[in-house]
Structures are given as structure tokens and as C-alpha cells.
């Protein structure tokens, strides 16, 4: 069976508008759910504690309230939180709540990103993209950064590359 597609509130908590020129008020995206379901996952207290470090707590509190999933405390619990009831509640809203259909909307540019079958489509249209120019580095530049290299066509010789972002802003 194929792996089911799901967008969790954990995913929503990390997404922002990536449209060219949209750099202010592009996070969080407004969640407009059309189909939400709850599917319980095995509770893992250590994973839940770890996720606390990654969350934008105010965004999570807001979306939990908007979806009518209850209320979360005003402040994010510490990573060493021992309150299992609270950690189970956080686990539930972050991992068990799945948005199957809906939209994510940028508060700045009003760009709509559809959610279909649990997958948020964050792809941009051609006119929304920044122009990218790919070119090989000169011989002098090839001796430095290995993070910008890819394998050559023969699979052995690395070809250094870098990307120049051109913006029309």
C-alpha cells in the first residue's frame, strides 16, 4: 500500500510563502481547512519533547484555537517537561490532526497554496519564481567549496556549481 499523504499541524507550523518579493508577513500561512481528520499515532514522549524546540508556539496555539481543538498554555513548556497530560495534548494536535483538503493563504500577498489529499502544493507559477542562473565555476574557484559540487557525467569528476539569484525587486 502507498504511504498515505497527510499534512499535520507540525508541517503548517514550518511553512511560509515563498513567492518572489513576499518577504513581510508571509508567516504563518493562514490555514483554511475543508477536511480535517484525526488519526492517532503512538505517543512518544521524547519525540514530543524534541518537537517543542522546533515549534513556533504562538502559531500552534492560534491554529489549535481556530480549529476548535481546545486550548494550549500561554507559554511553551520546557524541553524537560514532565507533565504527561500536556505532552499528550501537544502530541495530539501536532501529529494526530491531519488536514486532508484545504488551503494555506499568505497574509501578505494572498497567494493560495492548495492542500489536496493531505499534500500542500507549494509550487509557484513561472511569474512567481526568482530567476536562477547556473554556471560552472572557473578553475581558480574549483579548489574551495565542496558543498557546491556535484558528480560529473562519468560519476567521478566533481563539477563545481553555484547559483546566482537574480531578482527584479
Amino acid at each position: 500500500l502507498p504511504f498515505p499523504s497527510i499534512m499535520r499541524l507540525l508541517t503548517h507550523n514550518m511553512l511560509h510563502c515563498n513567492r518572489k518579493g513576499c518577504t513581510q508577513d508571509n508567516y504563518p500561512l493562514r490555514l483554511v481547512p475543508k477536511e480535517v481528520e484525526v488519526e492517532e499515532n503512538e505517543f512518544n514522549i521524547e519525540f514530543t519533547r524534541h518537537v517543542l524546540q522546533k515549534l513556533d508556539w504562538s502559531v500552534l496555539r492560534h491554529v489549535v484555537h481556530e480549529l476548535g481543538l481546545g486550548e494550549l498554555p500561554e507559554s511553551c513548556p520546557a524541553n524537560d517537561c514532565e507533565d504527561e497530560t500536556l505532552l499528550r495534548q501537544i502530541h495530539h494536535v501536532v501529529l494526530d490532526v491531519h488536514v486532508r483538503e484545504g488551503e494555506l493563504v499568505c497574509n501578505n500577498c494572498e497567494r493560495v497554496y492548495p492542500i489536496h489529499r493531505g499534500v500542500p502544493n507549494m509550487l509557484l507559477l513561472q511569474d512567481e519564481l526568482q530567476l536562477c542562473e547556473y554556471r560552472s565555476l572557473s578553475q581558480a574557484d574549483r579548489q574551495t567549496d565542496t558543498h557546491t559540487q556535484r558528480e560529473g557525467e562519468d560519476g567521478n569528476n566533481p563539477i563545481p556549481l553555484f547559483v546566482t539569484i537574480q531578482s527584479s525587486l
Side-chain angles (χ1 to χ4, degrees), residues 15-68:
L15 295 176
H16 63 89
C17 182
N18 55 3
R19 186 177 193 183
K20 177 177 72 174
C22 187
T23 58
Q24 296 180 344
D25 197 25
N26 65 349
Y27 174 84
L29 296 173
R30 187 171 62 249
L31 178 60
V32 183
K34 295 179 182 164
E35 182 183 336
V36 177
E37 63 183 41
V38 175
E39 185 177 311
E40 290 193 30
N41 294 282
E42 183 178 339
F43 176 63
N44 181 326
I45 195 165
E46 290 306 315
F47 179 79
T48 305
R49 284 184 185 136
H50 178 73
V51 165
L52 288 174
Q53 302 169 37
K54 311 281 185 213
L55 293 173
D56 183 324
W57 189 254
S58 63
V59 169
L60 182 63
R61 286 187 76 239
H62 177 76
V63 77
V64 164
H65 176 75
E66 289 290 311
L67 293 177

Side-chain angles (χ1 to χ4, degrees), residues 14 16 42 55 59 65 76 91 99-100 133 145 153:
M14 298 177 186
H16 63 89
E42 183 178 339
L55 293 173
V59 169
H65 176 75
C76 183
H91 168 89
V99 180
R100 295 281 181 200
E133 174 189 327
D145 189 3
E153 289 182 18

Side-chain angles (χ1 to χ4, degrees), residues 4 14 30-31 33 36 49 55 60 72 83-84 91 98 101 116 119 124 128 140-141 146 148 153 156 160:
M14 298 177 186
R30 187 171 62 249
L31 178 60
V36 177
R49 284 184 185 136
L55 293 173
L60 182 63
L72 293 173
D83 183 347
E84 187 173 326
H91 168 89
H98 303 165
E101 299 290 333
H116 182 60
V119 178
L124 297 175
E128 298 172 313
D141 294 330
T146 58
T148 61
E153 289 182 18
N156 295 322

Side-chain angles (χ1 to χ4, degrees), residues 90-107:
I90 294 166
H91 168 89
H92 173 73
V93 297
V94 169
L95 296 171
D96 293 346
V97 176
H98 303 165
V99 180
R100 295 281 181 200
E101 299 290 333
E103 298 173 337
L104 297 166
V105 182
C106 178
N107 294 311

Side-chain angles (χ1 to χ4, degrees), residues 135-146 148-149 160 162:
R135 64 183 177 96
S136 282
L137 296 175
S138 68
Q139 182 65 33
D141 294 330
R142 291 182 185 181
Q143 56 191 331
T144 56
D145 189 3
T146 58
T148 61
Q149 295 185 358
F162 74 95

